[in-house]
Amino acid sequence: MNKNIIDGYKKSMFILKLKLIVALHFMIHYRSKNLREYFLLLKRLNYFIGKLEHNKFVRQGKYTKIELYVPKFPSDAFFTSCNKFAVFGEKLPCTTVLLSVTSACRYNCAHCYQRLDKGKDIDLEKLIPIAKYLQDQGVAFFNIEGGEPFLVFDRLLALCKAVDKRSEIWVNSTGDGMTAERLAELKKTQLAAVMFSLHSHDPEKINAFMGYDKAWENLENGVKLCHEAGITVTFNTCLMKEDSSNGNFEKLMDKAKYLGGSLIQLIKPKPSGAWLESGTDVYSEEDFVLVKNKVNMYNNNKKYIEYPAIAAQIIEEDPGMFGCTSGGTDRFYINAKGDVQPCEFLNISFGNINEEKFEKIYSRMRKVYDIPGTCILCEELSQELRNICRENDLKTLPLDKELSKRFYDKIKNCTPTEMYRKVEKEMI
């Protein structure tokens, strides 16, 4: 799809327009309600939007994407996400969920956080009502993945059809199993983008890293099919520490541009799943600064205006930004066998929807996770999680509900992120 980057003076004017439309939208919504709450809502939203102004804004057609997990503006889903900040006197709602629709996959990715997730795929009859419940609770962004969701296309399509226009859908895929006919069916739903895994600029390295000799072929074909169908193409990449300084970062961005991506998510390697036992490289402060500087350069320097927008976990997780928003504070994960997890990278479970009602599990998790914190728990708790696996000779993940309770106090004691502390404790 054709994309236009909004920058410079146009970006300033766009932000002003966005804030005005948001104010008018909620003025109508609040015309018979508490006027004080209306102005507090605008204060919260302006503060939140201010945190996103450094991003690269990408316009496609009549919609504009300002942040990975914020639905495109001015869609219904965008205003659903804004409603998060219209809640006073209670915990703010979660707006993002990652759902694994299957564990089926022909790949053997080196970093797979689902490597030890074993079990039968959850029945759709249980998953679809949960998707509808989450929409009613304020979830505006559904990220659907596998395994490889196109290998169980009937399940993928049924789940997408269950989500109405209050939410935006992104599907994570390797391209395996994707066809023009299947994309045409998905385009009738709330699908906004397909996110492909692009872990290197080199096709041979992609095949090796993903453990499948057709990984690059499937990626290239899938990207082509999406462009032909008029579906937005995006990427994620697991950025190794050395790749931020050896020239591979730049080559990866060149490849993402060549493939016509509108956004690329930089995922920091996490000691999770396949990498739980071995751990991952430790980033120094200098490493963080290097990556942040490069991200800001590609997002804001006119020289790189034709490149995809970058959404970097290293920036989003920074204490000065959002911190860790897992556990239903802003996002959470349901794996293919029904475990409700704080996020895909923290291999603990608050319960399984085959054994308990989702609402009960969800409430339990949200009580443990108060507001987003500065602790990156998937990294800070990984050593203890490894020890528990060894002590109990575990061959599968995530930890069950009982073993996971050993982490509850550590989660509760995490220092709140300044932004959400202000929003939840001061702007009330």
Side-chain angles (χ1 to χ4, degrees):
M1 292 182 69
N2 292 329
K3 65 179 186 294
N4 295 302
I5 306 301
I6 303 174
D7 69 336
Y9 172 73
K10 290 182 180 180
K11 187 176 184 180
S12 299
M13 294 304 296
F14 172 82
I15 292 171
L16 185 62
K17 175 185 174 182
L18 183 151
K19 290 181 177 179
L20 178 60
I21 291 175
V22 167
L24 290 173
H25 173 88
F26 284 102
M27 181 184 292
I28 296 170
H29 179 77
Y30 271 85
R31 60 187 173 186
S32 61
K33 294 190 177 183
N34 189 315
L35 190 61
R36 176 178 176 273
E37 286 189 357
Y38 168 72
F39 286 110
L40 284 174
L41 166 62
L42 294 188
K43 184 178 180 181
R44 284 175 161 188
L45 282 169
N46 286 339
Y47 180 58
F48 175 72
I49 292 167
K51 291 287 186 180
L52 306 178
E53 291 182 4
H54 67 279
N55 287 348
K56 180 179 283 187
F57 293 178
V58 182
R59 178 184 288 138
Q60 294 184 305
K62 64 180 181 178
Y63 296 108
T64 301
K65 193 73 173 175
I66 65 173
E67 206 273 336
L68 172 57
Y69 294 116
V70 175
K72 56 192 178 183
F73 171 82
S75 65
D76 290 335
F78 174 84
F79 290 106
T80 299
S81 68
C82 290
N83 283 332
K84 176 185 182 77
F85 297 102
V87 173
F88 296 91
E90 58 184 282
K91 183 175 173 61
L92 299 186
C94 174
T95 58
T96 299
V97 62
L98 176 63
L99 297 176
S100 179
V101 74
T102 184
S103 60
C105 185
R106 287 191 270 244
Y107 290 49
N108 189 29
C109 295
H111 66 308
C112 181
Y113 52 81
Q114 296 181 22
R115 178 70 62 79
L116 300 178
D117 291 14
K118 308 293 183 184
K120 180 178 177 289
D121 289 348
I122 193 73
D123 289 341
L124 275 181
E125 290 73 19
K126 292 186 177 181
L127 195 57
I128 286 176
I130 290 172
K132 294 179 177 179
Y133 170 82
L134 288 171
Q135 278 205 285
D136 292 339
Q137 296 299 306
V139 168
F141 190 94
F142 282 79
N143 194 183
I144 302 175
E145 62 157 29
E148 172 48 63
F150 280 90
L151 294 181
V152 291
F153 182 70
D154 289 346
R155 289 173 59 86
L156 172 63
L157 183 61
L159 184 56
C160 288
K161 283 183 174 180
V163 176
D164 62 44
K165 65 180 182 178
R166 290 174 295 168
S167 305
E168 177 173 298
I169 299 171
W170 283 35
V171 172
N172 290 3
S173 178
T174 61
D176 191 13
M178 188 179 291
T179 66
E181 293 74 21
R182 290 176 172 182
L183 290 175
E185 286 296 306
L186 283 178
K187 198 174 179 183
K188 299 173 186 176
T189 72
Q190 302 306 314
L191 177 70
V194 173
M195 178 173 273
F196 295 91
S197 296
L198 181 67
H199 299 303
S200 172
H201 66 281
D202 185 335
E204 290 186 6
K205 289 182 179 178
I206 286 180
N207 289 347
F209 185 78
M210 301 184 78
Y212 192 60
D213 60 5
K214 292 185 178 180
W216 171 255
E217 179 184 331
N218 286 339
L219 166 65
E220 196 170 38
N221 181 62
V223 168
K224 179 175 177 285
L225 288 172
C226 284
H227 284 313
E228 290 174 349
I231 295 172
T232 298
V233 169
T234 63
F235 300 108
N236 63 57
T237 185
C238 188
L239 184 72
M240 301 300 183
K241 187 174 77 168
E242 64 269 18
D243 288 335
S244 62
S245 58
N246 62 10
N248 283 342
F249 179 96
E250 290 78 6
K251 292 176 182 177
L252 182 74
M253 291 303 298
D254 287 341
K255 183 67 72 173
K257 175 189 172 187
Y258 167 76
L259 291 169
S262 69
L263 178 146
I264 183 166
Q265 181 188 28
L266 301 187
I267 300 173
K268 181 177 178 290
K270 300 287 189 178
S272 170
W275 279 346
L276 178 63
E277 186 64 34
S278 64
T280 56
D281 289 336
V282 177
Y283 279 60
S284 67
E285 188 58 37
E286 290 75 17
D287 295 323
F288 284 125
V289 170
L290 176 62
V291 175
K292 289 176 183 178
N293 285 343
K294 289 194 175 186
V295 170
N296 288 325
M297 179 179 69
Y298 273 89
N299 277 349
N300 297 296
N301 190 316
K302 282 186 175 294
K303 178 180 177 182
Y304 302 98
I305 194 169
E306 296 300 323
Y307 284 78
I310 304 176
Q313 281 185 345
I314 283 175
I315 291 179
E316 293 167 351
E317 293 175 347
D318 189 89
M321 286 292 288
F322 308 125
C324 177
T325 60
S326 64
T329 55
D330 201 47
R331 66 186 303 271
F332 73 102
Y333 175 55
I334 302 178
N335 76 4
K337 62 180 180 178
D339 288 300
V340 179
Q341 299 180 219
C343 84
E344 62 271 34
F345 301 116
L346 182 53
N347 302 130
I348 67 173
S349 172
F350 279 81
N352 188 289
I353 60 178
N354 280 313
E355 301 165 0
E356 293 181 89
K357 286 188 175 182
F358 170 75
E359 293 85 347
K360 183 177 180 180
I361 302 171
Y362 189 55
S363 176
R364 179 188 303 133
M365 178 175 65
R366 298 248 302 157
K367 285 177 182 177
V368 171
Y369 279 83
D370 184 12
I371 63 175
T374 57
C375 310
I376 308 303
L377 294 164
C378 57
E379 299 177 12
E380 296 183 18
L381 302 180
S382 62
Q383 181 61 58
E384 186 170 351
L385 207 155
R386 279 197 295 272
N387 292 340
I388 292 174
C389 289
R390 292 167 183 166
E391 291 167 7
N392 293 274
D393 194 28
L394 298 180
K395 305 301 181 184
T396 64
L397 286 174
L399 300 184
D400 65 28
K401 181 178 67 176
E402 295 306 316
L403 286 174
S404 297
K405 287 179 180 178
R406 293 171 59 169
F407 296 94
Y408 285 9
D409 288 341
K410 295 179 177 65
I411 294 169
K412 287 179 179 179
N413 292 331
C414 186
T415 303
T417 306
E418 180 184 9
M419 177 196 150
Y420 280 97
R421 178 184 57 78
K422 284 185 176 182
V423 168
E424 292 208 30
K425 305 299 183 184
E426 296 180 13
M427 298 180 187
I428 55 175

